[in-house]
Amino acid sequence: MNFLSSHIKYVYDPTDYASEPSEKYIEYCQDTKEVLFVDMNPGPFGMCQTGVPFGDTEWVKNWLGIEGKIDKPLPECSARPVDGFKCTKKEQSGHRFWSLFSDLCHKPEKFFWHAFLYNYCPLAFMDSNGRNITPSGTKKKELVFYCDQYFMKTIDVLQPQIIIGIGRYTEKRLQSIVRRRNRTNKIEVLYLKHPGRPVRNNRSWHRNTKRILDKRDLLKYFQ
């Protein structure tokens, strides 16, 4: 499907041009999961570079142990080049997310025993100047339809008990999906503040997130 429009000039699909590291990440998901974290869509210095959700290059290489060949998206926006694992810009979201679970789990395998992180939408959208356009900002109803259908299948495969929407838009879409599934198994949707949002420091986001996990008795899966 073509999502280009008068304001959407570039569409990146890192699961395509960064398929090798993306598939290595998926290999961490070998079974059903109790907890499913869901981000909105790829960020310019994270998944757009490495093919991994919240894919800050250092955390992907050094903690998740993932590397691989990365091609260029076509067309590529000159203001948002894909440098792959040579990208030197930090992704704050990825740094905060993976550093928290590194502290809790010590090794990535422990995180993935019970949980997984995935995106509601696998695509990134930009205007002619490389400014990010969120899925809601695309104003494409068909995009929401396909992402909802895609994520219903993801839920059916992973069978999570808890889904944590990272950011309000993602939480809203997940609540809608869960309501429409008409399954007997009850799935709870929780909200988590996006790690890319401004906070005083990393510890502040870590502290708030651990408080939410503890309140829902979810820390047991990561310690």
Side-chain angles (χ1 to χ4, degrees), residues 132-143:
N132 182 57
I133 301 172
T134 64
S136 60
T138 66
K139 303 187 185 304
K140 298 276 189 178
K141 292 183 179 180
E142 61 269 34
L143 174 66

Side-chain angles (χ1 to χ4, degrees), residues 2 8 22 26 82 84 90 118 126 130 145 147 155 178-179 203:
N2 185 4
I8 301 172
S22 180
I26 296 297
V82 171
K90 295 291 293 180
Y118 214 44
M126 287 155 278
F145 173 79
C147 287
I155 293 172
V178 168
R179 281 196 303 268
R203 290 183 180 179

Side-chain angles (χ1 to χ4, degrees), residues 62-165:
N62 298 330
W63 197 62
L64 296 178
I66 294 174
E67 293 188 75
K69 179 184 177 183
I70 296 175
D71 295 319
K72 292 282 190 178
L74 296 174
E76 181 182 34
C77 177
S78 60
R80 286 286 180 261
V82 171
D83 298 317
F85 289 98
K86 295 180 181 179
C87 178
T88 58
K89 293 187 178 181
K90 295 291 293 180
E91 196 209 33
Q92 186 66 63
S93 301
H95 175 68
R96 283 179 175 157
F97 186 89
W98 293 118
S99 64
L100 168 63
F101 288 102
S102 172
D103 290 344
L104 290 173
C105 303
H106 304 298
K107 58 182 182 179
E109 290 81 4
K110 189 167 186 179
F111 173 83
F112 292 110
W113 283 340
H114 300 286
F116 198 61
L117 167 67
Y118 214 44
N119 278 332
Y120 166 73
C121 175
L123 306 177
F125 307 93
M126 287 155 278
D127 67 12
S128 58
N129 296 313
R131 283 188 291 263
N132 182 57
I133 301 172
T134 64
S136 60
T138 66
K139 303 187 185 304
K140 298 276 189 178
K141 292 183 179 180
E142 61 269 34
L143 174 66
V144 173
F145 173 79
Y146 283 114
C147 287
D148 281 6
Q149 295 299 310
Y150 160 81
F151 221 84
M152 280 187 185
K153 294 179 181 179
T154 301
I155 293 172
D156 288 341
V157 171
L158 297 183
Q159 300 177 31
Q161 300 169 16
I162 302 284
I163 303 179
I164 301 178

Side-chain angles (χ1 to χ4, degrees), residues 5 10 21 24 26 37 108 151 160 174-175 177 190 195 207 213:
S5 67
Y10 299 94
K24 288 180 180 179
I26 296 297
F37 293 90
F151 221 84
L174 294 172
Q175 287 176 337
I177 291 168
L190 305 180
R207 183 170 58 251
L213 295 176

